[in-house]
Structure formats: structure tokens, C-alpha cells
Amino acid sequence: TVDKFHPDRERAEARAKNKDKDMKKYAEYMRNQVRELLTQFGKIDILWFDFSYPGEDGKGHDDWESEKLVKMIRELQPDVIIDNRLDLPGCGDIQTPEQYVPQNGIRDEDGKLVTWEGCQTFSGSWGYHRDEQTWKSVEMLVQMLINHVSRGGNLLLNVGPTSRGVFDQRAIDRLQGLGDWMKYHSRSIYDCTVAPEGTVEPENCRYTYNPETNRLYLHLMTWPVNEICLPGMAEKVKYAQLLHDGSEIKIRKPVADPHSYLHAVAGEGDVFLDIPGIRPSVAVPVIELFLD
């Protein structure tokens, strides 16, 4: 049936045909397609439905017959992950914010972090677009990845192939840049999540944390001059090193120094890291903090 997002929504004759259409037929057709996918192609890890828009002139769970659909999916592939776009509260295994990063992650009514995955693009287009020019730089993409992980999320990054079935050079260059950065910084991404409760991020920085290794990763979105203050970390950090080369970063407690603004504003329990004068030639430098 034609609704507010249908390609023929502006055509009166298409709208007029709605009276002869039965959305239940499409819902059954869709279930049959999903059944084929779940029975003819082995184990399926993820089913990603996109999207519902309930209400007047829209389509919600009643139109998709989401209850029947989810019941069938769970029977056929009980381990599959389903996203949250079927307009059926409680059925989604992951939350899926699109083209933004939730400032504090996504949490339930008790404040507990839920599983979420941000859906992002290299540029302003989801598919290949020859003339689209708002492509993110490698540095921006790395920062976007860090922002997701630092807020407890996963990053889904969309790549659109050309009509030849290949990625265009802009995508290849950025994927290569992401790979170059991950080669030495993957420890700050894989198996990491939000920092422990109460940890305060320095200005223009992001923390990620690996709870199994008890290591905290300080991502420097901008390069500080000489030193950086870690609020409340004086009794927690025992060693620090740049992640890309393993070189040590000196740790210092604040001392009275009228010439240093950072020392002047340091609070009790703060600690300082000595920052090299030359910024490393990586997209985003990372300092690995070994915690007590």
C-alpha cells in the first residue's frame, strides 16, 4: 500500500489503488522471503530490518505483522540478532541510532548500558554517489569509531560499491587509513567499552576501557602542549605509554608552579602526563594507561 514514504506517494492514481490492496499479503510475502533466508543459507548472525514509521499514513508493527515475523525468526534461528526497527518494543537485541553518536551511550530506565550500534556513512550518501563531496577524512572516521566505543557502542560503517561492483578510490583510501590506524591501536577498540563510573575525561579526549586487562585508553582528539591533566587518577595510574610505538609517557603529580596553568587548576587526586613536543603521525594518538 502507498504511504507517506512510498515512491508513488505524490501520485493520486497510485493512492486511489490502495482500496484494492491488502497489506497483509505483503506481510505474508515478506515472511516467506525471510523464511527462505533463514532456511536456505545456513546459520544467520544478524537480521537488520529498516524501518517502521507508525501512525497516520505510515506503517508500524500491525502493518508488518511484526509479532508473527519475530516469532517465526526465533523459531527458525534462535541465536540470530535482530535490530529494533520493527516497531515492536522488546523484540530488538540492539539499538540502532543513525548518523549521530548518543552523548552518553544508550541506557535503560535503570541507567544500565544497553547493546547499541551506530549506523554511519563515509559521506552524505548511503550508496555510491559520484558527485557527492562531503566525505569524512580518515581522522574524522577514526574519531567517530572512538566516540562509539567510548560510549559503549559498536560502529556500523556503510560502504557503497559502484555499478562495477567495486569500491571507489575515496572509500579505498579511507578504509586503508582506518586499517593503518587499527594496526597499532586496535587494543583501544576491541573488547573495550565505557570507562569505569566516575572517570572524568580530560578536555578534547575520549576514554575507552578494557575491563579484562584493566587498561584505560586515552584518545587525544587534539594534541596537548607539554602536559595533560587526568582528573582523579593519581592513585590509579601506574604506567603510561603511547600505543603506536610503546614509548613511555612520564607520570607526574602536581607541584606548585605559578607558570603552569594546569598545575594551578589541578585538584586533589589529579595526575599529569608529560606530552612530547612533536605529535605522532597517526590519525589519533592514544596513550595506554596501566591501572592499579
Side-chain angles (χ1 to χ4, degrees), residues 14-32:
R15 288 279 189 175
K17 291 180 181 179
N18 269 350
K19 66 180 185 300
D20 301 319
K21 295 183 177 182
D22 182 359
M23 185 62 191
K24 291 185 181 298
K25 290 183 178 180
Y26 177 78
E28 182 181 13
Y29 168 77
M30 180 174 68
R31 279 198 305 279
N32 289 337

Side-chain angles (χ1 to χ4, degrees), residues 104-162:
N104 297 307
I106 300 180
R107 298 176 183 272
D108 62 19
E109 54 192 25
D110 297 322
K112 185 179 179 182
L113 194 69
V114 302
T115 303
W116 67 273
E117 178 178 78
C119 320
Q120 312 292 349
T121 57
F122 280 94
S123 65
S125 174
W126 285 100
Y128 172 70
H129 190 328
R130 182 193 63 204
D131 301 328
E132 210 285 308
Q133 296 299 318
T134 60
W135 279 70
K136 300 175 181 72
S137 66
V138 170
E139 182 177 348
M140 290 174 66
L141 290 166
V142 170
Q143 289 184 352
M144 187 167 70
L145 170 62
I146 294 163
N147 281 329
H148 280 70
V149 178
S150 70
R151 301 303 180 246
N154 189 51
L155 172 63
L156 185 157
L157 187 58
N158 183 75
V159 181
T162 72

Side-chain angles (χ1 to χ4, degrees), residues 122 128 135-138 141 157-162 164-181:
F122 280 94
Y128 172 70
W135 279 70
K136 300 175 181 72
S137 66
V138 170
L141 290 166
L157 187 58
N158 183 75
V159 181
T162 72
R164 304 298 186 193
V166 298
F167 296 155
D168 94 325
Q169 193 60 46
R170 295 170 296 183
I172 292 171
D173 290 344
R174 284 154 178 81
L175 288 168
Q176 182 64 55
L178 282 166
D180 290 343
W181 186 84

Side-chain angles (χ1 to χ4, degrees), residues 59-89:
K59 287 188 174 70
H61 69 273
D62 288 335
D63 302 283
W64 308 128
E65 297 189 355
S66 297
E67 292 91 341
K68 289 183 181 179
L69 180 61
V70 171
K71 185 174 184 292
M72 180 192 74
I73 291 167
R74 297 298 187 198
E75 288 174 352
L76 295 175
Q77 297 257 6
D79 296 327
V80 74
I81 294 171
I82 305 176
D83 72 340
N84 65 323
R85 299 195 178 193
L86 284 172
D87 184 39
L88 192 62

